[in-house]
Amino acid sequence: MEGTSTKGPRSFICKPVLPPSAPVELSRVMLPDDTNPAGNVHGGVILKLIEQAGHITSSRHCNQGSAAGHQPVTTVLARVDHMDFLQPMYVGEVSHLQAAVTYTSPRSMEVTVDVWAENVLTCTRRHTNTATLWYVAVPVNSLKPSDQQENKFVTVCVPGVKRLTDEQQEAGRQRYLAHKAQRDETAANMSPLPNPVPFPLDSSHEERHTVLASQVTLAYLVSPSHCLSKGYLMGGSLMKVMDNSAAISAARHCRSFAVTACIDAINFHSPIVKGEVVFVTARPVFTSSRSIELEVRCEAEGFTRGSRRVTNTAYFTFVSLGKEHRAAPIPPLKALGQEERERFEAGRLRYEARKEKRKKGQ
């Protein structure tokens, strides 16, 4: 529920999806470097850990029990479904991530990841997140070096999941069809974002609380530390920067610290490779009384081509923190022009849909 304190558990129940027998793929102590200015672990850090667990699980699924002569495959993140950040995680706690493949289509896998926070001083654990990720399988020998890369992967069929009931299989198929339709829709509506107004702005500037006044673009060069096989950027590394850019844009609008409340689906449309420059742009599209939704788009530019392509799109929702780190009121967004008003209305519909979904889930 938006607008609640980030100092303790939310008032509603956050239930894990996977059974306790699911393998713990990752465990890590949360360090000061992992926190945002508000003092709790940055949402981008959690997203990066989630993607690492998903990559390990999906790659194992495709390669374990393979016969002699099997060509090894790696997996590439195609989409992250909607996810709520229901409980905060703090410095000194241990994050535990459990992951399992829960459905497969002929050429994609659904991986469910549960995130837990353990307080080793009290020997208690809290369930903080559940994420659903979709991966495709790519033969390792088909990956070209980063200086010979192409803007798409050659995918192969993936093994099915054993022991699924007919009901589970049909439910998975419906989730797959829904995610495919949404992915196709976002692919058809990708375009670069306009240039922002200069920053910083005077507090009395007439453009304050408009879309362009709060728009932020972060740029970085993809290095080997961001990549997996053959110099391809890992999805978790990019999601961390996406969360950072959204946090800055939200803080710029609110003039206060802001924390991630949820993300809508993130679609990965084109691979990014080592040596390319990535531009991550965030802009506000909707505000309620206590939350702000931001659109985040990523563009990649290769030095040799000199042109940009849109690779990712997503919507992030943040809450502003006031005194005692409690959710504070958010200034209304000034939507100027027909296009911004249409985006604001679309954001309002997504906001209402999330509220209704939470009510049904309680």
Side-chain angles (χ1 to χ4, degrees), residues 154-200:
V154 177
T155 62
V156 296
C157 294
V158 301
V161 181
K162 299 178 180 179
R163 298 183 298 277
L164 285 184
T165 66
D166 291 343
E167 183 178 355
Q168 290 172 329
Q169 189 73 22
E170 177 58 23
R173 190 179 74 87
Q174 293 300 324
R175 294 193 300 272
Y176 164 74
L177 293 176
H179 112 77
K180 186 175 184 300
Q182 293 172 5
R183 179 177 169 83
D184 292 343
E185 180 181 355
T186 58
N189 292 288
M190 294 195 303
S191 60
L193 299 180
N195 294 325
V197 295
F199 181 77

Side-chain angles (χ1 to χ4, degrees), residues 54-125:
H55 173 74
I56 293 170
T57 300
S58 57
S59 294
R60 281 180 179 170
H61 176 79
C62 292
N63 291 294
Q64 65 183 358
S66 301
H70 165 75
Q71 293 294 328
V73 301
T74 188
T75 56
V76 177
L77 184 63
R79 176 183 168 91
V80 179
D81 283 344
H82 174 92
M83 181 178 66
D84 291 307
F85 289 77
L86 298 176
Q87 297 209 30
M89 194 178 295
Y90 302 107
V91 171
E93 291 188 312
V94 181
S95 63
H96 298 288
L97 291 91
Q98 297 175 293
V101 177
T102 47
Y103 175 77
T104 59
S105 72
R107 288 181 180 268
S108 66
M109 292 160 285
E110 177 192 61
V111 178
T112 300
V113 182
D114 277 325
V115 184
W116 300 80
E118 178 188 2
N119 186 324
V120 295
L121 301 180
T122 61
C123 297
T124 57
R125 297 207 324 172

Side-chain angles (χ1 to χ4, degrees), residues 311-334:
T311 62
N312 303 74
T313 58
Y315 290 101
F316 286 68
T317 298
F318 278 70
V319 294
S320 174
L321 296 184
K323 294 181 179 180
E324 298 181 356
H325 287 190
R326 294 185 178 275
I330 289 182
L333 178 66
K334 299 175 184 177

